[in-house]
Structure formats: C-alpha cells, structure tokens
Amino acid sequence: MIHLKDDSEMQLMRESGRLLAQVFEMLNDFIRPGISTLDIDAKVEDFIVNTLHARPASKGQYGFPFTLNTSINEVICHGMPDAHDILKDGDIINCDITLEKNGFIADSSKMYCVGTVSTEAKELIDVTYQALWEGIKVVRPGVKLCEVGRAIQKFIKPRGYSIVRDYTGHGIGREMHEDPHVFHYFEASVDVELREGMTFTIEPMINQGTHKTRSLAQKNGWTVVVTRDQKLSAQWEHTIAVTHDGFEVLTLRDEERRDADNAFMS
C-alpha cells in the first residue's frame, strides 16, 4: 500500500527534510580523527533534540538504541555507535540519520572522509554519490520504479564496482519504512509506476569488490553488515518526492544547493 502525500503532508515532509539536512552540515566540522562513533551519536542526538526540537526517529525503532548508524570502511550498513570505535586518519564513514518532526520522517546518509583518505577510497565515495544522482534524475510521474535501479546499474557496471543487493531503499512518511521497495539495480518485476505524491529513499550501497555481504554477530539485538571480502563500501541517501513534473530532493543540503556546477543535479 503506497500512501500518496497531499500538499499539507508534503509540506511537513519538506520541513523534516530541511531539518535533517542541517544535521549533516553540523557534522562537517565535528567528524575528525580521534573521536568515537559514540561521540557522533551523542552530538547528533543533542542537536536534533535541543537545537532542532525534533525527534531522532531511529532511536528505539526495531529496538535500536542509538540515534544514527555509523558504518566505517568495510561496514556496509547498520554500524552501531561504540565508544571503542575511534576514528583514525584515512577512515571513511557513513552516517545514516533519520529525523521526525510533526509526525513525518526524513531519512538521509552522507559519507565523510576522516583526515586524508586514499585515492581509491575517495573515488569510491565520489562514484557512489554520482550513482545516487543518476537514480534520482530519472524520477518523474509515469516512469516505472525499476528505471531508478537501471540508471544506477548502468552507471556503476563499467566502473568496476558492485551494487549491494541485500538492502533497498524504501517508501517513507509517517512510518520510517513504507512501500515501495526501491532497488538499486535493474529488477524488471518492479513495475510500480511513479505518481505525484510518492516519497521514498534512494540509497545505493556500492562496494569496491564483491556485492556479497556478511552479517556480524548480533550486538544488542542489531546485526552489523560488512563486505564479505572486507573491501571498502560507500553509501549516500536522500529522501525524494515525486512532483507533478519531476522530483524534489527533500533532504538536500545547502552545500549541495551552492554547487551550481554540480553535473549530477542538472
């Protein structure tokens, strides 16, 4: 069951997305070598609650005890903040954050480079970001949802990376996970036609090596997912709305808006 948002609901979705974008911009100057992922969690929770007067939607969802996921290097997704996970120079980290305001949830993630990272790591991050936009740019009413995955796959395949298949994007609104599932590779059976008022995430997870994943032992009831070959993984995510003539990125950050020459957004 796909819930189409009306104008008033869409306006509330925009507000949640606008606030969430501010969280990532706050982290730009906070993430650095020597801090722990638990430090990041505490900073994000304080900012969402006390500065933005919103709710960290992930905390308590499915029993998850933290405000965000922090996935370092070979961790694909669902990384858990930990006082013993100290960021070091050369790490890459994905921060995946959700925020609820006035009953509606926005979801986004961003890659951060810790200190000076390798050329290979930076390339993976950049290609994954470009892949996200390749998927976003096909969104408009009347297009089949499978075309999002086709665009991402077409972009990634010649570059020698792989697309994680075990996890997808998802509808979002009053609930964090709504219909439909959003695949990041072409799946012909996904014949949902995009309609104005749909809101969902696009969040490709791209690996240096194999697309195959491995789940670590459960920690506090939560399973951390890593690359099977222990090579690097990257992910970017935005919450998207289907408009009458195209798309709107509800979680777009000011740093992205300022980049007028960004070819991925043209």
Side-chain angles (χ1 to χ4, degrees):
M1 180 70 70
I2 297 174
H3 176 65
L4 301 180
K5 281 69 176 180
D6 61 25
D7 289 344
S8 62
E9 291 173 317
M10 193 64 75
Q11 195 57 40
L12 293 175
M13 289 285 295
R14 288 190 184 97
E15 177 64 4
S16 295
R18 184 186 70 83
L19 294 177
L20 181 54
Q22 294 179 37
V23 182
F24 292 98
E25 292 176 330
M26 176 274 295
L27 285 177
N28 287 343
D29 296 324
F30 184 75
I31 292 179
R32 60 189 183 276
I35 66 169
S36 73
T37 53
L38 193 61
D39 293 331
I40 298 172
D41 182 78
K43 182 73 171 178
V44 169
E45 181 170 11
D46 178 72
F47 188 76
I48 290 175
V49 173
N50 296 314
T51 300
L52 302 180
H53 307 291
R55 181 179 71 87
S58 294
K59 191 167 186 178
Q61 181 84 358
Y62 310 123
F64 188 68
F66 299 105
T67 296
L68 78 162
N69 292 113
T70 49
S71 301
I72 304 172
N73 297 334
E74 75 278 6
V75 179
I76 297 171
C77 60
H78 299 172
M80 295 184 67
D82 192 314
H84 297 98
D85 285 339
I86 308 297
L87 297 182
K88 62 182 184 300
D89 189 72
D91 283 340
I92 61 174
I93 180 172
N94 177 269
C95 291
D96 189 345
I97 309 171
T98 61
L99 177 150
E100 180 266 321
K101 181 76 172 181
N102 298 319
F104 285 87
I105 299 172
D107 188 359
S108 185
S109 81
K110 177 182 174 178
M111 295 297 302
Y112 293 87
C113 295
V114 183
T116 303
V117 305
S118 69
T119 300
E120 294 77 14
K122 184 65 167 58
E123 180 182 358
L124 174 66
I125 288 172
D126 291 345
V127 167
T128 305
Y129 184 69
Q130 294 172 50
L132 167 68
W133 281 99
E134 291 301 314
I136 290 173
K137 288 192 299 184
V138 306
V139 172
R140 63 183 183 276
V143 169
K144 294 293 179 66
L145 186 56
C146 61
E147 294 303 320
V148 171
R150 189 201 295 270
I152 293 171
Q153 183 171 324
K154 181 180 178 181
F155 181 79
I156 288 296
K157 187 175 180 180
R159 288 163 173 80
Y161 298 112
S162 64
I163 302 168
V164 173
R165 293 171 173 258
D166 296 338
Y167 300 90
T168 69
H170 51 87
I172 190 169
R174 290 189 182 274
E175 301 294 332
M176 187 184 303
H177 296 115
E178 298 180 352
D179 289 333
H181 291 292
V182 181
F183 290 82
H184 302 115
Y185 57 91
F186 181 66
E187 176 53 66
S189 64
V190 182
D191 60 355
V192 174
E193 184 175 297
L194 299 182
R195 297 171 60 192
E196 182 180 0
M198 290 176 66
T199 52
F200 51 83
T201 70
I202 301 176
E203 47 184 298
M205 305 171 198
I206 308 299
N207 294 349
Q208 276 185 328
T210 177
H211 72 273
K212 295 181 179 179
T213 67
R214 181 167 64 92
S215 296
L216 301 182
Q218 286 194 345
K219 183 177 183 181
N220 295 332
W222 194 258
T223 303
V224 179
V225 181
V226 300
T227 57
R228 188 170 295 186
D229 55 12
Q230 297 189 310
K231 292 185 178 181
L232 295 176
S233 183
Q235 179 191 21
W236 294 82
E237 175 185 11
H238 272 311
T239 295
I240 312 299
V242 183
T243 64
H244 72 283
D245 60 353
F247 66 84
E248 180 180 351
V249 181
L250 300 178
T251 48
L252 194 69
R253 299 178 295 277
D254 283 345
E255 63 199 39
E256 295 174 294
R257 297 179 198 277
R258 288 193 295 264
D259 191 357
D261 296 325
N262 193 332
F264 319 132
M265 298 167 58
S266 62

